[in-house]
């Protein structure tokens, strides 16, 4: 209803009024969410393969996280590139060709067929278009170390979210620090993969649980490290702190489409802040919590 008809927007306002009568004065910034959906709308008109969508959005979010809030022209360049990539993938899907990500780092024949498809695609496009294959390829290369391990789904979500937040704090020149974050994520996924293979509970199910659960997690980690040839670090404390920061959001259960929108906006706002911006980060978390609370009520 946020960008729907006048009647739909009016009904949303009326629901919000009832919500505030029950909950007290709460700010959810419907206008900012509306603006965010407007900025996103150009991306949404194309429907790429799901694996391509994940890759394209991941790269775009990483690129945007390097830019300050005033880098309007650079942000448009990133968004336009993502639109081109989604548009091409949409064309591939409609014409029954393989996805970008399935061929981008594949055999010579697969990569050549992708180039041939792109050449055919551009003959039907009225303006010169770029999709940045090399940047996508580099992104997949940086991600490949993570993908070789398959932890529990709940651990995967936690580790990937934590990693994205850590990467969003770094500038484009912080190569060594980025490697440190990716290596840590790889270690965490490796441990999570070992737990799943050996029928132990997930990291996230025990990380902030009872003393007994946390102790069993430590015991499992000790056993895991015995079989690892090098000293390994998974930073359980940092994951625990991350879950603590997330806990305020998790107590509310909004509609799935609202959850995606709210979380995406929160991540975008957080990506503009430095690691020392504690009070500003709390404002973003609180606003997201209010938005989730309202959608939960709806």
């Amino acid at each position: 209803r946020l960008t729907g008809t006048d009647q739909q927007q009016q009904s949303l306002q009326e629901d919000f009024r009832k919500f505030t009568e029950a909950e007290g004065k709460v700010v959810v910034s419907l206008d900012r969410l509306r603006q965010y959906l407007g900025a996103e709308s150009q991306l949404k008109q194309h429907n790429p393969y799901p694996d391509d969508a994940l890759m394209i959005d991941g790269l775009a979010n990483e690129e945007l996280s390097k830019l300050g809030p005033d880098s309007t022209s650079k942000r448009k360049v990133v968004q336009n590139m993502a639109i081109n990539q989604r548009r091409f993938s949409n064309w591939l899907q409609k014409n029954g060709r393989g996805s970008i990500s399935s061929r981008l780092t594949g055999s010579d024949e697969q990569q050549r067929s992708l180039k041939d498809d792109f050449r055919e695609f551009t003959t039907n496009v009225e303006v010169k278009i770029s999709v940045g294959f090399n940047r996508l390829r580099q992104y997949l290369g940086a991600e490949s170390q993570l993908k070789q391990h398959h932890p529990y789904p709940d651990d995967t979500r936690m580790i990937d979210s934590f990693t994205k937040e850590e990467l969003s704090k770094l500038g484009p020149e912080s190569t060594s620090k980025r490697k440190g974050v990716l290596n840590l994520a790889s270690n965490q996924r490796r441990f999570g993969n070992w737990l799943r293979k050996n029928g132990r509970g997930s990291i996230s199910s025990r990380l902030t649980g009872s003393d007994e659960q946390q102790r069993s997690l430590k015991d499992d980690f000790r056993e895991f490290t015995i079989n690892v040839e090098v000293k390994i670090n998974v930073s359980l404390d940092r994951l625990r702190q991350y879950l603590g920061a997330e806990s305020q959001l998790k107590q509310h259960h909004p509609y799935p489409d609202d959850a995606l929108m709210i979380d995406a906006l929160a991540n975008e706002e957080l990506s503009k802040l430095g690691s020392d911006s504690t009070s500003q980060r709390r404002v973003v978390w609180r606003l997201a919590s209010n938005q989730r609370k309202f959608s939960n009520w709806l």
Side-chain angles (χ1 to χ4, degrees):
R1 295 180 287 171
L2 198 59
T3 56
T5 64
D6 290 345
Q7 186 178 356
Q8 287 177 310
Q9 293 188 44
Q10 189 176 353
S11 74
L12 182 63
Q13 290 283 7
E14 287 170 1
D15 281 341
F16 178 62
R17 197 173 298 111
K18 292 175 186 175
F19 166 69
T20 53
E21 286 173 4
E23 299 288 342
K25 187 177 179 182
V26 177
V27 176
V28 297
S29 289
L30 295 178
D31 281 339
R32 286 173 69 187
L33 287 172
R34 195 172 284 111
Q35 288 165 3
Y36 174 74
L37 284 186
E40 287 285 276
S41 63
Q42 202 176 4
L43 287 178
K44 303 306 178 191
Q45 63 184 296
H46 304 299
N47 300 300
Y49 280 106
D51 56 338
D52 285 346
L54 284 172
M55 171 184 66
I56 293 163
D57 292 352
L59 173 61
N61 288 335
E62 183 176 295
E63 293 291 304
L64 290 170
S65 73
K66 302 171 186 176
L67 304 176
D70 299 324
S71 308
T72 310
S73 60
K74 291 182 181 178
R75 294 181 78 82
K76 282 181 181 173
V77 169
V78 173
Q79 287 169 341
N80 284 338
M81 179 68 79
I83 290 165
N84 291 344
Q85 292 162 346
R86 291 175 70 103
R87 185 179 178 185
F88 176 43
S89 180
N90 181 58
W91 181 87
L92 291 172
Q93 185 168 215
K94 281 185 174 178
N95 288 275
R97 316 292 173 88
S99 67
I100 301 171
S101 60
S102 69
R103 297 183 284 171
L104 196 61
T105 56
S107 65
D108 289 345
E109 186 180 350
Q110 286 177 310
Q111 293 188 45
R112 188 162 51 246
S113 73
L114 182 62
K115 282 184 179 179
D116 291 342
D117 282 343
F118 180 65
R119 195 175 297 113
E120 184 180 339
F121 164 70
T122 54
T123 59
N124 301 310
V125 178
E126 60 283 355
V127 292
K128 188 177 179 182
I129 196 170
S130 171
V131 294
F133 282 143
N134 285 336
R135 287 168 72 184
L136 286 170
R137 198 171 281 115
Q138 288 165 4
Y139 174 72
L140 284 185
E143 290 286 278
S144 64
Q145 193 179 13
L146 295 180
K147 303 305 179 191
Q148 61 185 299
H149 305 300
H150 304 284
Y152 285 105
D154 56 338
D155 284 347
T156 299
R157 283 191 295 270
M158 172 185 66
I159 293 164
D160 290 355
S161 296
F162 171 68
T163 303
K164 283 177 184 174
E165 182 174 299
E166 291 296 298
L167 290 172
S168 73
K169 301 172 186 175
L170 304 176
E173 310 298 332
S174 308
T175 311
S176 61
K177 289 182 181 178
R178 294 181 76 80
K179 283 181 181 173
V181 171
L182 289 171
N183 283 338
L184 179 60
S186 182
N187 290 344
Q188 291 165 342
R189 290 176 69 106
R190 186 178 179 183
F191 177 42
N193 182 62
W194 182 89
L195 291 173
R196 185 183 59 79
K197 281 188 171 179
N198 288 275
R200 315 291 172 88
S202 67
I203 300 171
S204 59
S205 68
R206 296 182 283 170
L207 197 60
T208 57
S210 65
D211 290 344
E212 185 179 351
Q213 286 177 310
Q214 293 189 45
R215 188 161 51 245
S216 73
L217 183 62
K218 282 185 179 178
D219 290 342
D220 282 343
F221 179 65
R222 196 175 296 114
E223 184 180 340
F224 164 70
T225 55
I226 291 171
N227 302 309
V228 179
E229 61 283 355
V230 292
K231 188 177 179 182
I232 198 167
N233 175 34
V234 297
S235 288
L236 294 178
D237 282 339
R238 285 173 70 187
L239 285 173
R240 193 173 284 113
Q241 288 166 3
Y242 174 73
L243 284 186
E246 288 281 272
S247 63
Q248 193 181 11
L249 291 179
K250 301 307 178 190
Q251 62 185 294
H252 306 301
H253 303 285
Y255 281 106
D257 55 340
D258 286 346
L260 285 171
M261 171 185 67
I262 292 163
D263 292 352
L265 173 61
N267 287 334
E268 183 176 296
E269 293 292 305
L270 289 168
S271 72
K272 301 172 186 175
L273 304 176
S275 54
D276 299 326
S277 309
T278 310
S279 61
Q280 289 175 295
R281 295 179 81 80
R282 281 179 186 162
V283 169
V284 175
W285 283 119
R286 194 176 300 117
L287 181 58
S289 182
N290 289 344
Q291 292 164 345
R292 290 176 71 104
K293 186 176 182 181
F294 176 38
S295 181
N296 180 64
W297 180 90
L298 292 172

